[in-house]
mmCIF file of all heavy atoms in Angstrom:
data_model
loop_
_atom_site.group_PDB
_atom_site.id
_atom_site.type_symbol
_atom_site.label_atom_id
_atom_site.label_comp_id
_atom_site.label_asym_id
_atom_site.label_seq_id
_atom_site.Cartn_x
_atom_site.Cartn_y
_atom_site.Cartn_z
ATOM 1 N N ILE E 1 6.087 11.542 4.709
ATOM 2 C CA ILE E 1 6.536 11.439 6.092
ATOM 3 C C ILE E 1 6.314 10.019 6.598
ATOM 4 O O ILE E 1 5.245 9.438 6.430
ATOM 5 C CB ILE E 1 5.784 12.442 6.977
ATOM 6 C CG1 ILE E 1 6.145 13.879 6.568
ATOM 7 C CG2 ILE E 1 6.102 12.217 8.448
ATOM 8 C CD1 ILE E 1 5.342 14.936 7.302
ATOM 9 N N GLY E 2 7.343 9.448 7.241
ATOM 10 C CA GLY E 2 7.221 8.125 7.845
ATOM 11 C C GLY E 2 7.903 7.024 7.052
ATOM 12 O O GLY E 2 8.267 7.196 5.891
ATOM 13 N N GLU E 3 8.080 5.901 7.698
ATOM 14 C CA GLU E 3 8.653 4.682 7.104
ATOM 15 C C GLU E 3 7.517 3.678 6.914
ATOM 16 O O GLU E 3 6.985 3.125 7.882
ATOM 17 C CB GLU E 3 9.735 4.117 8.030
ATOM 18 C CG GLU E 3 10.122 2.670 7.779
ATOM 19 C CD GLU E 3 10.568 2.384 6.361
ATOM 20 O OE1 GLU E 3 11.505 3.045 5.879
ATOM 21 O OE2 GLU E 3 9.970 1.477 5.730
ATOM 22 N N PRO E 4 7.106 3.431 5.665
ATOM 23 C CA PRO E 4 5.950 2.552 5.410
ATOM 24 C C PRO E 4 6.043 1.169 6.041
ATOM 25 O O PRO E 4 5.051 0.651 6.568
ATOM 26 C CB PRO E 4 5.906 2.461 3.880
ATOM 27 C CG PRO E 4 6.565 3.707 3.412
ATOM 28 C CD PRO E 4 7.643 4.002 4.419
ATOM 29 N N LEU E 5 7.235 0.556 6.012
ATOM 30 C CA LEU E 5 7.353 -0.806 6.546
ATOM 31 C C LEU E 5 7.400 -0.832 8.070
ATOM 32 O O LEU E 5 7.324 -1.906 8.672
ATOM 33 C CB LEU E 5 8.585 -1.506 5.955
ATOM 34 C CG LEU E 5 8.534 -1.759 4.444
ATOM 35 C CD1 LEU E 5 9.697 -2.642 4.014
ATOM 36 C CD2 LEU E 5 7.213 -2.374 4.001
ATOM 37 N N ASP E 6 7.489 0.343 8.699
ATOM 38 C CA ASP E 6 7.368 0.436 10.145
ATOM 39 C C ASP E 6 5.892 0.529 10.562
ATOM 40 O O ASP E 6 5.567 0.477 11.738
ATOM 41 C CB ASP E 6 8.136 1.661 10.650
ATOM 42 C CG ASP E 6 8.255 1.711 12.176
ATOM 43 O OD1 ASP E 6 8.515 0.652 12.778
ATOM 44 O OD2 ASP E 6 8.081 2.797 12.747
ATOM 45 N N ASN E 7 5.020 0.644 9.571
ATOM 46 C CA ASN E 7 3.567 0.674 9.770
ATOM 47 C C ASN E 7 2.949 -0.378 8.856
ATOM 48 O O ASN E 7 2.009 -0.112 8.103
ATOM 49 C CB ASN E 7 3.027 2.079 9.453
ATOM 50 C CG ASN E 7 1.558 2.242 9.777
ATOM 51 O OD1 ASN E 7 0.981 1.474 10.541
ATOM 52 N ND2 ASN E 7 0.939 3.259 9.190
ATOM 53 N N TYR E 8 3.507 -1.576 8.926
ATOM 54 C CA TYR E 8 3.290 -2.596 7.903
ATOM 55 C C TYR E 8 1.816 -2.962 7.701
ATOM 56 O O TYR E 8 1.307 -2.923 6.575
ATOM 57 C CB TYR E 8 4.097 -3.852 8.268
ATOM 58 C CG TYR E 8 4.088 -4.904 7.189
ATOM 59 C CD1 TYR E 8 4.964 -4.820 6.110
ATOM 60 C CD2 TYR E 8 3.214 -5.982 7.242
ATOM 61 C CE1 TYR E 8 4.970 -5.781 5.106
ATOM 62 C CE2 TYR E 8 3.204 -6.947 6.242
ATOM 63 C CZ TYR E 8 4.088 -6.842 5.178
ATOM 64 O OH TYR E 8 4.077 -7.782 4.188
ATOM 65 N N GLU E 9 1.120 -3.347 8.772
ATOM 66 C CA GLU E 9 -0.242 -3.857 8.629
ATOM 67 C C GLU E 9 -1.164 -2.805 8.023
ATOM 68 O O GLU E 9 -1.978 -3.108 7.143
ATOM 69 C CB GLU E 9 -0.797 -4.333 9.976
ATOM 70 C CG GLU E 9 -0.188 -5.628 10.490
ATOM 71 C CD GLU E 9 1.193 -5.448 11.103
ATOM 72 O OE1 GLU E 9 1.590 -4.278 11.342
ATOM 73 O OE2 GLU E 9 1.873 -6.465 11.352
ATOM 74 N N ASN E 10 -1.060 -1.569 8.495
ATOM 75 C CA ASN E 10 -1.927 -0.513 7.961
ATOM 76 C C ASN E 10 -1.603 -0.199 6.506
ATOM 77 O O ASN E 10 -2.501 0.070 5.702
ATOM 78 C CB ASN E 10 -1.795 0.756 8.809
ATOM 79 C CG ASN E 10 -2.449 0.611 10.165
ATOM 80 O OD1 ASN E 10 -3.521 0.012 10.294
ATOM 81 N ND2 ASN E 10 -1.822 1.159 11.194
ATOM 82 N N VAL E 11 -0.328 -0.228 6.152
ATOM 83 C CA VAL E 11 0.071 0.047 4.767
ATOM 84 C C VAL E 11 -0.428 -1.046 3.832
ATOM 85 O O VAL E 11 -0.946 -0.759 2.742
ATOM 86 C CB VAL E 11 1.601 0.215 4.665
ATOM 87 C CG1 VAL E 11 2.069 0.122 3.208
ATOM 88 C CG2 VAL E 11 2.025 1.551 5.267
ATOM 89 N N ILE E 12 -0.305 -2.304 4.231
ATOM 90 C CA ILE E 12 -0.790 -3.405 3.389
ATOM 91 C C ILE E 12 -2.298 -3.298 3.185
ATOM 92 O O ILE E 12 -2.815 -3.491 2.070
ATOM 93 C CB ILE E 12 -0.423 -4.775 4.002
ATOM 94 C CG1 ILE E 12 1.098 -4.962 4.007
ATOM 95 C CG2 ILE E 12 -1.100 -5.907 3.243
ATOM 96 C CD1 ILE E 12 1.748 -4.955 2.635
ATOM 97 N N LYS E 13 -3.027 -2.973 4.243
ATOM 98 C CA LYS E 13 -4.479 -2.811 4.124
ATOM 99 C C LYS E 13 -4.809 -1.644 3.190
ATOM 100 O O LYS E 13 -5.722 -1.733 2.359
ATOM 101 C CB LYS E 13 -5.091 -2.591 5.501
ATOM 102 C CG LYS E 13 -6.608 -2.758 5.536
ATOM 103 C CD LYS E 13 -7.154 -2.577 6.928
ATOM 104 C CE LYS E 13 -6.692 -3.677 7.881
ATOM 105 N NZ LYS E 13 -7.331 -3.547 9.206
ATOM 106 N N PHE E 14 -4.054 -0.557 3.305
ATOM 107 C CA PHE E 14 -4.231 0.586 2.408
ATOM 108 C C PHE E 14 -4.028 0.179 0.952
ATOM 109 O O PHE E 14 -4.825 0.544 0.070
ATOM 110 C CB PHE E 14 -3.244 1.690 2.790
ATOM 111 C CG PHE E 14 -2.962 2.693 1.706
ATOM 112 C CD1 PHE E 14 -3.883 3.674 1.391
ATOM 113 C CD2 PHE E 14 -1.763 2.654 1.005
ATOM 114 C CE1 PHE E 14 -3.624 4.593 0.379
ATOM 115 C CE2 PHE E 14 -1.489 3.565 0.001
ATOM 116 C CZ PHE E 14 -2.427 4.543 -0.309
ATOM 117 N N LEU E 15 -2.987 -0.595 0.682
ATOM 118 C CA LEU E 15 -2.704 -1.019 -0.689
ATOM 119 C C LEU E 15 -3.864 -1.820 -1.273
ATOM 120 O O LEU E 15 -4.264 -1.609 -2.422
ATOM 121 C CB LEU E 15 -1.419 -1.849 -0.725
ATOM 122 C CG LEU E 15 -0.113 -1.122 -0.397
ATOM 123 C CD1 LEU E 15 1.059 -2.099 -0.373
ATOM 124 C CD2 LEU E 15 0.155 0.001 -1.379
ATOM 125 N N HIS E 16 -4.409 -2.729 -0.490
ATOM 126 C CA HIS E 16 -5.531 -3.537 -0.978
ATOM 127 C C HIS E 16 -6.782 -2.682 -1.178
ATOM 128 O O HIS E 16 -7.531 -2.896 -2.145
ATOM 129 C CB HIS E 16 -5.810 -4.687 -0.014
ATOM 130 C CG HIS E 16 -4.804 -5.798 -0.098
ATOM 131 N ND1 HIS E 16 -4.678 -6.599 -1.221
ATOM 132 C CD2 HIS E 16 -3.871 -6.235 0.789
ATOM 133 C CE1 HIS E 16 -3.719 -7.486 -1.021
ATOM 134 N NE2 HIS E 16 -3.215 -7.287 0.183
ATOM 135 N N ASN E 17 -7.015 -1.722 -0.289
ATOM 136 C CA ASN E 17 -8.208 -0.886 -0.422
ATOM 137 C C ASN E 17 -8.147 0.024 -1.644
ATOM 138 O O ASN E 17 -9.138 0.171 -2.369
ATOM 139 C CB ASN E 17 -8.433 -0.057 0.844
ATOM 140 C CG ASN E 17 -9.095 -0.853 1.956
ATOM 141 O OD1 ASN E 17 -9.712 -1.893 1.721
ATOM 142 N ND2 ASN E 17 -8.979 -0.364 3.185
ATOM 143 N N VAL E 18 -6.997 0.651 -1.920
ATOM 144 C CA VAL E 18 -6.922 1.547 -3.082
ATOM 145 C C VAL E 18 -6.901 0.765 -4.387
ATOM 146 O O VAL E 18 -7.246 1.298 -5.444
ATOM 147 C CB VAL E 18 -5.700 2.497 -3.025
ATOM 148 C CG1 VAL E 18 -5.823 3.462 -1.866
ATOM 149 C CG2 VAL E 18 -4.387 1.740 -2.989
ATOM 150 N N ASN E 19 -6.525 -0.519 -4.309
ATOM 151 C CA ASN E 19 -6.510 -1.369 -5.497
ATOM 152 C C ASN E 19 -7.876 -1.977 -5.798
ATOM 153 O O ASN E 19 -8.149 -2.391 -6.928
ATOM 154 C CB ASN E 19 -5.463 -2.475 -5.315
ATOM 155 C CG ASN E 19 -5.423 -3.478 -6.447
ATOM 156 O OD1 ASN E 19 -5.710 -4.661 -6.270
ATOM 157 N ND2 ASN E 19 -5.065 -3.030 -7.635
ATOM 158 N N ASN E 20 -8.757 -2.024 -4.817
ATOM 159 C CA ASN E 20 -10.059 -2.668 -4.967
ATOM 160 C C ASN E 20 -10.867 -2.008 -6.085
ATOM 161 O O ASN E 20 -10.959 -0.783 -6.164
ATOM 162 C CB ASN E 20 -10.827 -2.583 -3.639
ATOM 163 C CG ASN E 20 -12.042 -3.481 -3.614
ATOM 164 O OD1 ASN E 20 -12.993 -3.308 -4.373
ATOM 165 N ND2 ASN E 20 -12.023 -4.452 -2.711
ATOM 166 N N GLU E 21 -11.467 -2.833 -6.938
ATOM 167 C CA GLU E 21 -12.215 -2.302 -8.084
ATOM 168 C C GLU E 21 -13.446 -1.512 -7.658
ATOM 169 O O GLU E 21 -13.981 -0.711 -8.430
ATOM 170 C CB GLU E 21 -12.624 -3.437 -9.021
ATOM 171 C CG GLU E 21 -13.540 -4.470 -8.404
ATOM 172 C CD GLU E 21 -13.885 -5.592 -9.346
ATOM 173 O OE1 GLU E 21 -13.341 -5.622 -10.471
ATOM 174 O OE2 GLU E 21 -14.705 -6.453 -8.975
ATOM 175 N N ASN E 22 -13.909 -1.720 -6.432
ATOM 176 C CA ASN E 22 -15.046 -0.958 -5.921
ATOM 177 C C ASN E 22 -14.614 0.287 -5.143
ATOM 178 O O ASN E 22 -15.443 0.968 -4.544
ATOM 179 C CB ASN E 22 -15.922 -1.840 -5.019
ATOM 180 C CG ASN E 22 -16.566 -2.973 -5.795
ATOM 181 O OD1 ASN E 22 -17.126 -2.748 -6.862
ATOM 182 N ND2 ASN E 22 -16.462 -4.178 -5.281
ATOM 183 N N GLY E 23 -13.296 0.532 -5.166
ATOM 184 C CA GLY E 23 -12.752 1.725 -4.527
ATOM 185 C C GLY E 23 -12.110 2.611 -5.573
ATOM 186 O O GLY E 23 -12.672 2.863 -6.640
ATOM 187 N N LEU E 24 -10.902 3.071 -5.310
ATOM 188 C CA LEU E 24 -10.198 3.934 -6.254
ATOM 189 C C LEU E 24 -9.683 3.168 -7.465
ATOM 190 O O LEU E 24 -9.353 3.759 -8.495
ATOM 191 C CB LEU E 24 -9.041 4.646 -5.549
ATOM 192 C CG LEU E 24 -9.465 5.740 -4.561
ATOM 193 C CD1 LEU E 24 -8.283 6.204 -3.717
ATOM 194 C CD2 LEU E 24 -10.081 6.922 -5.285
ATOM 195 N N ASN E 25 -9.557 1.836 -7.322
ATOM 196 C CA ASN E 25 -9.190 0.964 -8.443
ATOM 197 C C ASN E 25 -7.869 1.380 -9.086
ATOM 198 O O ASN E 25 -7.736 1.453 -10.308
ATOM 199 C CB ASN E 25 -10.305 0.944 -9.499
ATOM 200 C CG ASN E 25 -10.158 -0.201 -10.485
ATOM 201 O OD1 ASN E 25 -9.553 -1.222 -10.182
ATOM 202 N ND2 ASN E 25 -10.700 -0.025 -11.679
ATOM 203 N N ILE E 26 -6.876 1.658 -8.253
ATOM 204 C CA ILE E 26 -5.543 2.019 -8.736
ATOM 205 C C ILE E 26 -4.700 0.755 -8.854
ATOM 206 O O ILE E 26 -4.604 -0.029 -7.908
ATOM 207 C CB ILE E 26 -4.876 3.037 -7.794
ATOM 208 C CG1 ILE E 26 -5.656 4.354 -7.813
ATOM 209 C CG2 ILE E 26 -3.416 3.268 -8.165
ATOM 210 C CD1 ILE E 26 -5.150 5.400 -6.848
ATOM 211 N N SER E 27 -4.099 0.558 -10.002
ATOM 212 C CA SER E 27 -3.309 -0.644 -10.248
ATOM 213 C C SER E 27 -2.129 -0.730 -9.290
ATOM 214 O O SER E 27 -1.454 0.268 -9.029
ATOM 215 C CB SER E 27 -2.803 -0.645 -11.691
ATOM 216 O OG SER E 27 -1.846 -1.680 -11.892
ATOM 217 N N MET E 28 -1.879 -1.936 -8.783
ATOM 218 C CA MET E 28 -0.707 -2.146 -7.929
ATOM 219 C C MET E 28 0.580 -1.768 -8.665
ATOM 220 O O MET E 28 1.556 -1.334 -8.048
ATOM 221 C CB MET E 28 -0.629 -3.602 -7.476
ATOM 222 C CG MET E 28 -1.666 -4.015 -6.456
ATOM 223 S SD MET E 28 -1.207 -3.501 -4.793
ATOM 224 C CE MET E 28 -2.496 -4.323 -3.835
ATOM 225 N N ARG E 29 0.582 -1.931 -9.980
ATOM 226 C CA ARG E 29 1.776 -1.616 -10.763
ATOM 227 C C ARG E 29 2.043 -0.111 -10.826
ATOM 228 O O ARG E 29 3.114 0.314 -11.261
ATOM 229 C CB ARG E 29 1.646 -2.194 -12.184
ATOM 230 C CG ARG E 29 1.583 -3.713 -12.182
ATOM 231 C CD ARG E 29 1.525 -4.303 -13.583
ATOM 232 N NE ARG E 29 1.387 -5.741 -13.529
ATOM 233 C CZ ARG E 29 2.377 -6.601 -13.365
ATOM 234 N NH1 ARG E 29 3.614 -6.144 -13.253
ATOM 235 N NH2 ARG E 29 2.155 -7.901 -13.324
ATOM 236 N N ASN E 30 1.058 0.677 -10.401
ATOM 237 C CA ASN E 30 1.217 2.127 -10.359
ATOM 238 C C ASN E 30 1.552 2.626 -8.954
ATOM 239 O O ASN E 30 1.449 3.827 -8.685
ATOM 240 C CB ASN E 30 -0.063 2.815 -10.843
ATOM 241 C CG ASN E 30 -0.316 2.617 -12.321
ATOM 242 O OD1 ASN E 30 0.533 2.115 -13.044
ATOM 243 N ND2 ASN E 30 -1.499 2.997 -12.775
ATOM 244 N N ILE E 31 1.929 1.710 -8.073
ATOM 245 C CA ILE E 31 2.212 2.070 -6.683
ATOM 246 C C ILE E 31 3.674 1.758 -6.359
ATOM 247 O O ILE E 31 4.166 0.667 -6.648
ATOM 248 C CB ILE E 31 1.293 1.318 -5.706
ATOM 249 C CG1 ILE E 31 -0.180 1.649 -6.000
ATOM 250 C CG2 ILE E 31 1.633 1.658 -4.256
ATOM 251 C CD1 ILE E 31 -1.176 0.863 -5.171
ATOM 252 N N THR E 32 4.356 2.715 -5.771
ATOM 253 C CA THR E 32 5.745 2.555 -5.347
ATOM 254 C C THR E 32 5.830 2.702 -3.834
ATOM 255 O O THR E 32 5.275 3.643 -3.269
ATOM 256 C CB THR E 32 6.648 3.607 -6.011
ATOM 257 O OG1 THR E 32 6.630 3.413 -7.432
ATOM 258 C CG2 THR E 32 8.081 3.499 -5.508
ATOM 259 N N LEU E 33 6.504 1.761 -3.188
ATOM 260 C CA LEU E 33 6.716 1.806 -1.744
ATOM 261 C C LEU E 33 8.203 1.975 -1.478
ATOM 262 O O LEU E 33 9.019 1.184 -1.950
ATOM 263 C CB LEU E 33 6.185 0.538 -1.084
ATOM 264 C CG LEU E 33 6.223 0.466 0.442
ATOM 265 C CD1 LEU E 33 5.105 -0.443 0.962
ATOM 266 C CD2 LEU E 33 7.559 -0.049 0.966
ATOM 267 N N SER E 34 8.544 3.000 -0.703
ATOM 268 C CA SER E 34 9.944 3.286 -0.404
ATOM 269 C C SER E 34 10.248 2.967 1.050
ATOM 270 O O SER E 34 9.516 3.375 1.954
ATOM 271 C CB SER E 34 10.242 4.766 -0.674
ATOM 272 O OG SER E 34 11.562 5.087 -0.303
ATOM 273 N N THR E 35 11.329 2.236 1.280
ATOM 274 C CA THR E 35 11.745 1.887 2.639
ATOM 275 C C THR E 35 13.226 2.172 2.832
ATOM 276 O O THR E 35 14.019 2.087 1.884
ATOM 277 C CB THR E 35 11.471 0.403 2.945
ATOM 278 O OG1 THR E 35 11.990 0.083 4.253
ATOM 279 C CG2 THR E 35 12.137 -0.516 1.928
ATOM 280 N N CYS E 36 13.608 2.485 4.068
ATOM 281 C CA CYS E 36 15.022 2.711 4.374
ATOM 282 C C CYS E 36 15.752 1.393 4.615
ATOM 283 O O CYS E 36 16.963 1.384 4.812
ATOM 284 C CB CYS E 36 15.169 3.634 5.575
ATOM 285 S SG CYS E 36 14.568 2.941 7.121
ATOM 286 N N GLY E 37 15.002 0.277 4.612
ATOM 287 C CA GLY E 37 15.668 -1.024 4.706
ATOM 288 C C GLY E 37 15.383 -1.797 5.973
ATOM 289 O O GLY E 37 16.315 -2.263 6.638
ATOM 290 N N ILE E 38 14.105 -1.952 6.309
ATOM 291 C CA ILE E 38 13.726 -2.808 7.436
ATOM 292 C C ILE E 38 13.650 -4.236 6.895
ATOM 293 O O ILE E 38 12.631 -4.663 6.349
ATOM 294 C CB ILE E 38 12.390 -2.351 8.056
ATOM 295 C CG1 ILE E 38 12.527 -0.909 8.550
ATOM 296 C CG2 ILE E 38 11.981 -3.267 9.213
ATOM 297 C CD1 ILE E 38 11.277 -0.337 9.173
#
């Protein structure tokens, strides 16, 4: 639910937090962001 790029700052912060090695440590290459075209 929602348009990720319409919530840009929070989404970018989320991406960095889940990628952090002291957090969930999920590779950025394993993350897909879908937008309707903003």
Side-chain angles (χ1 to χ4, degrees):
I1 295 174
E3 162 56 56
L5 295 189
D6 189 42
N7 186 19
Y8 187 82
E9 288 78 12
N10 288 321
V11 165
I12 294 299
K13 194 178 294 185
F14 159 76
L15 293 176
H16 285 293
N17 280 341
V18 294
N19 176 244
N20 193 296
E21 62 182 5
N22 295 312
L24 289 169
N25 195 25
I26 295 176
S27 170
M28 288 280 187
R29 296 183 183 277
N30 291 351
I31 300 175
T32 297
L33 185 152
S34 176
T35 176
C36 66
I38 300 180

